[in-house]
């Protein structure tokens, strides 16, 4: 049975997360040794905090469960596409559709508004759902950009089970963090000792 852990601090960002918020989004659900998991978007407050840290929502956005669930759903679609790309497999059509839907859900230009006293002006809508839609569109567009850029060749899954994070490979590095690299090296050393003895 998988146990959820929320108090444990998240590992440092994986290679490429700071340039690609979609990669950071994909890595917000982490598998840990012992069947534990961390979900940085587990509650509306956590989802709001995550978006705020990336400049995608104001601190007081008033995130609701429905909005957090949309963000988690997009995360799973992006994870599916990243896994397909990293493994050289065809993408699930539903994942491609979800990305395209998120990108087209918001207007690309500020809308025309009319104030009876000051007249016409242009602005983006600001209710929470519009904030979330804009964040989803931004993250989906970043995922599409990453998947179609030269960086896509470097996209890989962390090579240290049970970790399920993605990273942009740099040189020979195949782990998302020092912790995962140490765990993988320790497992290899243990396997060599067990085999030899």
């Amino acid at each position: 049975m998988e146990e959820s852990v929320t108090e444990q601090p998240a590992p440092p960002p994986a290679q490429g997360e700071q340039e690609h918020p979609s990669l950071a989004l994909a890595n917000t659900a982490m598998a840990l040794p012992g069947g534990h998991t961390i979900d940085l978007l587990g509650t509306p407050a956590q989802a709001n905090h995550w978006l705020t840290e990336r400049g995608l929502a104001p601190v007081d956005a008033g995130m609701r469960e429905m909005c957090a669930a949309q963000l988690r759903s997009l995360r799973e679609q992006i994870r599916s596409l990243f896994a397909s790309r990293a493994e050289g497999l065809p993408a699930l059509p539903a994942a491609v559709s979800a990305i395209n839907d998120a990108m087209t859900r918001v207007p690309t230009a500020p809308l025309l508004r009319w104030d009876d006293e000051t007249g016409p002006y242009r602005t983006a809508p600001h209710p929470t759902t519009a904030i979330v839609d804009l964040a989803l569109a931004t993250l989906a567009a970043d995922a599409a950009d990453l998947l179609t850029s030269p960086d896509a060749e470097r996209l890989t899954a962390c090579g240290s089970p049970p970790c399920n994070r993605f990273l942009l490979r740099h040189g020979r590095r195949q782990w998302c963090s020092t912790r995962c690299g140490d765990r993988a090296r320790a497992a290899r050393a243990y396997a060599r000792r067990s085999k030899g003895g």
Side-chain angles (χ1 to χ4, degrees), residues 177-193:
S177 67
T178 303
R179 179 175 63 185
C180 281
D182 291 346
R183 191 171 55 241
R185 284 187 285 278
R188 280 198 311 260
Y190 177 79
R192 280 193 302 270
R193 283 193 307 273

Side-chain angles (χ1 to χ4, degrees), residues 101-135:
D101 179 58
M103 285 191 293
T104 59
R105 196 180 296 179
V106 292
T108 57
L111 302 176
L112 178 63
R113 304 284 186 210
W114 200 283
D115 182 279
D116 290 340
E117 292 180 22
T118 59
Y121 64 98
R122 292 181 69 180
T123 186
H126 287 290
T128 301
T129 54
I131 291 169
V132 172
D133 283 347
L134 183 59

Side-chain angles (χ1 to χ4, degrees), residues 14 16 25-26 32 52-53 55 57 78 89 129 133 152 165 169 171 185:
L25 176 64
L32 302 173
T52 300
E53 283 184 327
I78 289 174
L89 299 172
T129 54
D133 283 347
R165 293 174 66 191
R169 194 174 43 254
R185 284 187 285 278

Side-chain angles (χ1 to χ4, degrees), residues 21 31 35 38-39 42 46 51 61 65 75-76 81 92 110 136 184:
I38 294 176
D39 186 349
Q46 288 173 308
L51 290 171
E65 178 54 34
R75 171 183 65 196
E76 295 314 308
L81 291 173
L92 294 174
L136 294 173

Side-chain angles (χ1 to χ4, degrees), residues 18-38:
Q18 292 174 320
E19 300 83 17
H20 295 284
S22 61
L23 189 58
L25 176 64
N27 290 337
T28 58
M30 292 168 264
L32 302 173
H36 300 287
T37 61
I38 294 176

Side-chain angles (χ1 to χ4, degrees), residues 56-186:
L56 295 170
V59 173
D60 60 350
M63 191 76 56
R64 301 278 185 234
E65 178 54 34
M66 179 187 79
C67 298
Q70 287 177 317
L71 188 58
R72 290 189 298 266
S73 176
L74 181 66
R75 171 183 65 196
E76 295 314 308
Q77 301 301 337
I78 289 174
R79 287 188 58 76
S80 171
L81 291 173
F82 285 179
S84 294
R85 181 65 172 96
E87 296 167 17
L89 299 172
L92 294 174
V96 174
S97 293
I99 298 299
N100 288 332
D101 179 58
M103 285 191 293
T104 59
R105 196 180 296 179
V106 292
T108 57
L111 302 176
L112 178 63
R113 304 284 186 210
W114 200 283
D115 182 279
D116 290 340
E117 292 180 22
T118 59
Y121 64 98
R122 292 181 69 180
T123 186
H126 287 290
T128 301
T129 54
I131 291 169
V132 172
D133 283 347
L134 183 59
L136 294 173
T138 301
L139 292 162
D142 182 72
D145 288 344
L146 174 56
L147 288 165
T148 58
S149 75
D151 281 344
E153 294 295 324
R154 299 176 28 225
L155 183 64
T156 190
C158 181
S160 179
C163 186
N164 62 342
R165 293 174 66 191
F166 292 93
L167 66 138
L168 294 181
R169 194 174 43 254
H170 183 70
R172 293 179 51 207
R173 184 175 177 169
Q174 53 189 332
W175 304 291
C176 69
S177 67
T178 303
R179 179 175 63 185
C180 281
D182 291 346
R183 191 171 55 241
R185 284 187 285 278

